[in-house]
Amino acid sequence: MTTEMYKCSLGEKAIQTAVEELHEDPKTRHIEIKTLRERIEKYPGLQARTDSDFLLRFLRARKFDQEMSFKLVLNFYRARYEDKEVFQDLKPFSVKHVFESGYTTPLGIRDHQGATVVVEKPGAWDYARFSDLDLIKADCITISKLMEDEENQVYGIALIVDYTGFTLSHFARTPPSFARRLCRLWQDVFPARLKAVHIVNEPASFSNIFAIFKPFLKQKLLDRIFFHGDKYSGLHEHIDPNLLPLAYGGSAPDITNTTWSTVILQCDKQFEEDFKFGFVDMKVGPDRGGDSESRGGVATDSLVGTFKKLQTD
């Protein structure tokens, strides 16, 4: 993959947010990218994408902490190597049925904090036609595509999880392994910032549903979950009702997944290209714990720290 110089597409407001919230310094950004790239290129057994656009997703997701960004890159490629059930042949057309069901739909709007809003509908899961793994695959594809947008990298994602139509039959087919996988991907694998989760139209039995997920959620994410039921005034405190669909007490047209399905189903070749990268041999270097690169034969002292540390050397 080419390592051409990065050209920022962010507006002034987004750049200021990146500076204040993510510790991004436009003057030293290229050195931060170069530092991360050099560490990845020296890691045994890994052939990763190292272009600037790709690496910036990880730096922004971890607020330009070099150690945490590096670890996230390794987690990303480890997950793709180890979890073949989810990641093998992961391309939009392989889960065309999920996108057409309306399970996951980006609305193309932002909340009051700038996060891009995505609606997920667990009740739209047609378990007679596709498995819970297909839902996870659709999430992986959606988030990967959304994270190409630099504003989404800076402002993050806000989920509206709508439980309309979710039944005991859906619940019976939601194993802890599904919750564990999904929570791990959001918290430790995706180069994305999940800024809020709005639960709406949850059934009376929702405490049992939430109990499956809660053991796998870190406190930071638990603090960002809001429960609204079928009253949307609380949701409107986070998202302008003029932008929300009628279904959520807004004044915008109701949700249609046609646009997103059309866009994402044209991206198969892009995902095929992306999956040419990854671990070629997990036995060469990576430790399974993911805490240190030194076990793989690469000295961690050589490139540790952010550019701020490099300046003092």
Side-chain angles (χ1 to χ4, degrees):
M1 179 64 70
T2 180
T3 56
E4 77 282 0
M5 289 296 292
Y6 158 77
K7 183 177 180 180
C8 184
S9 66
L10 296 172
E12 289 186 15
K13 183 179 178 181
I15 290 175
Q16 188 60 33
T17 299
V19 169
E20 294 174 356
E21 295 187 13
L22 307 183
H23 313 301
E24 181 169 345
D25 185 343
K27 295 179 180 178
T28 59
R29 183 196 291 123
H30 66 289
I31 299 183
E32 296 281 11
I33 295 170
K34 180 175 181 289
T35 300
L36 182 58
R37 177 183 296 128
E38 289 175 350
R39 298 186 71 181
I40 293 167
E41 289 176 340
K42 290 185 178 182
Y43 199 73
L46 177 61
Q47 293 181 358
R49 276 184 61 178
T50 57
D51 56 289
S52 299
D53 289 339
F54 181 73
L55 296 182
L56 259 178
R57 303 177 197 179
F58 295 87
L59 287 164
R60 286 170 172 155
R62 290 298 181 263
K63 298 186 177 182
F64 279 77
D65 182 309
Q66 280 284 341
E67 287 301 314
M68 297 301 292
S69 301
F70 179 68
K71 182 177 179 180
L72 186 60
V73 173
L74 296 186
N75 285 351
F76 176 80
Y77 281 113
R78 278 198 188 101
R80 300 210 312 186
Y81 186 92
E82 295 176 339
D83 198 346
K84 296 292 194 298
E85 282 188 309
V86 171
F87 290 99
Q88 192 168 34
D89 193 37
L90 184 68
K91 51 189 178 183
F93 217 82
S94 69
V95 285
K96 177 176 181 282
H97 46 286
V98 181
F99 291 115
E100 291 179 344
S101 76
Y103 169 73
T104 179
T105 309
L107 293 186
I109 65 173
R110 298 188 180 277
D111 69 6
H112 292 325
Q113 303 304 314
T116 191
V117 179
V118 178
V119 171
E120 300 221 323
K121 296 182 175 182
W125 172 24
D126 185 351
Y127 48 78
R129 293 179 54 221
F130 50 91
S131 71
D132 58 302
L133 285 174
D134 285 351
L135 304 182
I136 294 176
K137 290 178 181 181
D139 269 347
C140 291
I141 292 167
T142 297
I143 301 312
S144 178
K145 190 63 181 174
L146 289 176
M147 283 304 104
E148 294 175 4
D149 184 287
E150 289 201 84
E151 288 203 1
N152 293 343
Q153 295 169 21
V154 172
Y155 292 112
I157 295 171
L159 290 181
I160 297 176
V161 186
D162 183 355
Y163 274 89
T164 298
F166 192 87
T167 66
L168 288 175
S169 295
H170 287 101
F171 175 68
R173 291 169 173 79
T174 307
S177 60
F178 171 82
R180 181 177 64 250
R181 262 184 171 127
L182 200 56
C183 291
R184 176 173 178 263
L185 288 167
W186 273 111
Q187 296 175 123
D188 301 315
V189 175
F190 290 153
R193 305 174 68 216
L194 185 53
K195 299 296 291 180
V197 180
H198 300 283
I199 310 294
V200 300
N201 299 317
E202 59 269 36
S205 60
F206 185 74
S207 60
N208 296 324
I209 302 168
F210 191 60
I212 298 176
F213 288 86
K214 191 172 181 180
F216 307 113
L217 293 171
K218 298 175 183 178
Q219 189 60 49
K220 181 179 180 180
L221 187 51
L222 283 169
D223 292 341
R224 295 178 178 180
I225 299 177
F226 306 92
F227 303 94
H228 303 289
D230 59 0
K231 309 297 182 187
Y232 305 124
S233 57
L235 182 63
H236 297 167
E237 293 177 7
H238 299 267
I239 306 172
D240 185 346
N242 292 317
L243 302 177
L244 282 169
L246 295 169
Y248 305 123
S251 55
D254 272 329
I255 301 170
T256 172
N257 62 306
T258 304
T259 301
W260 179 242
S261 294
T262 301
V263 169
I264 199 66
L265 290 175
Q266 295 177 351
C267 299
D268 269 23
K269 289 191 180 298
Q270 175 188 339
F271 278 84
E272 288 174 3
E273 281 296 313
D274 197 43
F275 270 82
K276 292 180 180 179
F277 299 93
F279 277 112
V280 294
D281 188 352
M282 285 289 285
K283 297 178 181 178
V284 174
D287 66 288
R288 299 271 171 169
D291 294 327
S292 170
E293 64 190 287
S294 60
R295 295 189 186 96
V298 178
T300 57
D301 292 338
S302 61
L303 288 166
V304 171
T306 62
F307 176 64
K308 298 168 187 62
K309 180 181 184 302
L310 296 176
Q311 284 182 305
T312 65
D313 291 346

